[in-house]
Structure formats: C-alpha cells, structure tokens
Amino acid sequence: MAQSGAVQRVTGSTFVRRATRLATEADWARVGLYVRGPLLTLATAIVFDVLARNAYPVAHPFPFLLFTVVYSTYSGGLKPGLISALVTLVYAVHYLSEPGSIIRYTPTNAYSLLAIGVAVPVTVLLVARLQARAQRAHQVQLSHDEAEQIDRRLAFFTAANDVLASSLDYMSTLRDLSRLIVPTLSDWCAIHVATEQGTLQFISAAHRDPAKDLLVRALCEYGSARPPFGAADHVSASGDATDDVLRAHAQDPEQLKLFRALNPTSFIRVPLLARGHNVGTITLVVAAESGRRYELEDVAFAEELASRAALAIDNARLHRAARESDERYGMLFQSNPQPMWVFDVETLAFLEVNDAAVRQYGYARNELLGMTIMDLLPPEDAPGLHHSLERSSMRRGDVAL
C-alpha cells in the first residue's frame, strides 16, 4: 500500500501496475544484495592500499577483508561471497609480495598468502552453508505462518457464513457480522446499506474496545450519516488515514474530533455488490494502537467477505418481496367481491376459496374445501370444463384459479 494519504482504487489495471512495480523493486533489491558485499570488499582493499602507499601505519588488513567476505556471503549468497574472496586474494597477492615484484614473497608472507588462500574460500563455503540453512528455516517459518493465516481466514469465512445464514433479517445478521469482523479484520468497522431510494443507511458498527462502540456509532450517524471514508461505488479502495484525509472526510470540526479520537491509520472500503447492483458499503479501519496496516491481500479478503454479505442482503430482500407479494395476492383474493377459488387441475378439488364464494354458494368454507368444482357446475357444463382444461395444456398437479 502506498504510504501517502491519497485513496487508492484497486482495479485490475492498478493491480497489474502495482505488481509490476513490486517485481521491479524486488529485482533491484536482489541486485543490491548481490553487489553490496563485493563492493564493500573492494572499497576496503582500496582504502588499505591507499593508506599503505602513503606510509600510514595501519593494522593488518586481512581480518577486515575477511569480515567483508563473511558479510558478502551471508547477505548475498555463495556467488557474491566468491567474488569478495577473489578480490581479497588478488589484494593479498599484491600486498604480501616483495616491493618491485608481484610473485616474489618472503617465507613468512608466502605462508601468510597460503593461509589466506585456504582460509578465505573455506570461510565462504561455511558461511554459504549457514546462510542456505537460515534461508530454508525462514522459508519453513513463512510457510507455517502462511498456513496458519489461511486456516484463520477459512475459519473466519466459516463463521461469517454461519452468521449470514442464521436469519433472513439482514440488519440483525450484519450487526453480528460487524462484531465478528472486529478484531480479526479491523480495529473498528462500519456497515451501510442502500435503501430503496438509493441513499445509504447506517446499519451497524463495532470497535475492538466495546467502550468505543458508541464513538464509532456517533461518527457514522453524524450529520448526513455517510460512511466514514466515503461510499464505495463499484470499486474497492484503500488508503492511509492521514490527517489530511481525515480533514477531507470530516463534515466539520466536531466530526474531525471524532475521527481523531478513534485514531485511524489505514482503511479499506468495499462495495456490497449483488447482481451488478451496489447495495451498500463496508468500511474496515485499523488504528495506531494495533500497529497494523492494510495490504493488497487484505483488500481481496475484504472483497470476498463483502460479496457474501451482499448475497445475504439480496436474498433477504428477495424473500421479503416474495412474502409481500403473497400477502398482497392473499388480500386481493380474499377481499374480491366476485366468487373465486383455486383448484387442482387433475382432481378438480378446491384448494382455496374466498369469502365471496362462501357467501355465493351457501356452503361453509370447510365444506367447499371438501368438494370439487364439478359439484358446483351444472351437468351440461362439465364437458366444456374438461375441454378447456385440455386446451390450456395444464400438467398433472397444476392448480388453476
């Protein structure tokens, strides 16, 4: 995540550009690890050579050079270590030779050169093995941490699915979901849902410190009651909650005080998308106390959660609409002044009759429900009924009005 206060919109092209930039940065970081060790060895050799040429009294240079070889190997690996070792050996050949000659040595210096020629490569190999073991241990630890993170997120999604499926009252389930989100995904959160008029309605909020729940609620219900960091259209966004960002989203100085009291450092806002429509916004925020900061993988995780919440909201609304439609039909059916009934096409038995039919035929409702439509029709009309049902192509088990 960028360290600026600007809001980031996470789109496909943005993700590709960011991934490319991260890959480039990683390449340069790898190059830096490879070259800085050999460059340090070369610089150390040049410094000692300049001091020796100017007759400055210096300590023996090779312990310092051996230290740079160890550093080069451990930080960059075997290849940078071998390059540093080669630089050290070349410098030893020059430094230990007799003045005016490159390949003539005193017995003492010859033994020193031999010792250096053996000690430096052996040191490189030993340090390289230690570095490889350390890297493998680090990778194992990372794999273990990643596995634990995946397990935690799977457990969270299981719990979230249970909450979202527990009731068709989406307001109640979203309140339970907000409490589940904190502190797993955020230090505090807010959920807003779009009304039939298209405006966002605050539904629930939670803070990791229950004493601050009312503070988050006051922030979300302040003024126009819009989401703390703006509404998410059809694209997720994330950013750092700098003071400039807080000022931009605060409606006045009083709401700015509420923002600062909650001390946010990073936020994510994700749309609740169902069947191509935005039905709300989930806002996730981390505060300075936790020391966390949102990354790209957190945005993707929040989007997955939002998609499940949006589906639960959409299903609840569809169920409510179907129930209300049934209720309206029932009202129209029962209050209609004309006799009406519902009957089975195969058996012609009455399944339901309205009050007008009870009054019209003089039977009690229970009596009519025990009869068939043939019991009310004159005998001469019966063949016509069967003919009309055949032409209507109704199947076995259908009902008719």
Side-chain angles (χ1 to χ4, degrees), residues 99-110:
S101 175
I102 298 178
I103 57 174
R104 294 183 62 184
Y105 305 92
T106 63
T108 301
N109 287 350

Side-chain angles (χ1 to χ4, degrees), residues 75-88:
S75 63
L78 180 61
K79 291 181 179 179
L82 290 175
I83 295 173
S84 289
L86 180 61
V87 171
T88 301

Side-chain angles (χ1 to χ4, degrees), residues 53-75:
R53 288 177 183 273
N54 288 277
Y56 283 100
V58 295
H60 205 282
F62 293 105
F64 298 95
L65 288 171
L66 187 60
F67 174 77
T68 65
V69 170
V70 171
Y71 170 76
S72 178
T73 307
Y74 195 80
S75 63

Side-chain angles (χ1 to χ4, degrees), residues 219-234:
L219 175 68
C220 294
E221 293 183 331
Y222 191 90
S224 59
R226 64 192 182 194
F229 292 95
D233 298 327
H234 281 71

Side-chain angles (χ1 to χ4, degrees), residues 7 31 35 50 58 63 97 103 111 121 136 150 156 159 174 183 191 251 263 289-290 294 357 379 397:
V7 171
V31 170
V35 303
V50 170
V58 295
S97 64
I103 57 174
Y111 283 118
R136 285 196 296 270
I150 292 173
F156 175 83
L174 290 180
I191 302 177
Q251 299 177 47
N263 203 14
E289 304 88 68
S290 66
Y294 285 127

Side-chain angles (χ1 to χ4, degrees), residues 37-174:
L39 288 178
L40 178 62
T41 304
L42 180 61
T44 304
I46 292 174
V47 168
F48 277 106
D49 188 64
V50 170
L51 292 176
R53 288 177 183 273
N54 288 277
Y56 283 100
V58 295
H60 205 282
F62 293 105
F64 298 95
L65 288 171
L66 187 60
F67 174 77
T68 65
V69 170
V70 171
Y71 170 76
S72 178
T73 307
Y74 195 80
S75 63
L78 180 61
K79 291 181 179 179
L82 290 175
I83 295 173
S84 289
L86 180 61
V87 171
T88 301
L89 292 176
V90 170
Y91 179 73
V93 169
H94 164 71
Y95 181 84
L96 296 174
S97 64
E98 293 184 1
S101 175
I102 298 178
I103 57 174
R104 294 183 62 184
Y105 305 92
T106 63
T108 301
N109 287 350
Y111 283 118
S112 297
L113 180 61
L114 180 61
I116 292 171
V118 173
V120 171
V122 170
T123 300
V124 170
L125 293 176
L126 289 176
V127 174
R129 290 183 64 182
L130 290 174
Q131 190 245 14
R133 289 180 180 178
Q135 282 188 339
R136 285 196 296 270
H138 182 63
Q139 290 171 354
V140 169
Q141 181 63 34
L142 284 179
S143 300
H144 179 69
D145 293 343
E146 290 172 355
E148 286 187 344
Q149 184 181 36
I150 292 173
D151 287 341
R152 286 195 299 270
R153 293 194 167 184
L154 286 176
F156 175 83
F157 273 137
T158 300
N161 287 337
D162 291 341
V163 168
L164 293 172
S166 63
S167 171
L168 287 172
D169 180 3
Y170 68 83
M171 290 190 177
S172 174
T173 58
L174 290 180

Side-chain angles (χ1 to χ4, degrees), residues 201-223:
Q201 175 188 4
F202 170 69
I203 299 297
S204 66
H207 194 284
R208 67 182 304 152
D209 180 2
K212 293 185 177 180
D213 281 354
L214 289 178
L215 194 59
V216 180
R217 187 178 187 89
L219 175 68
C220 294
E221 293 183 331
Y222 191 90

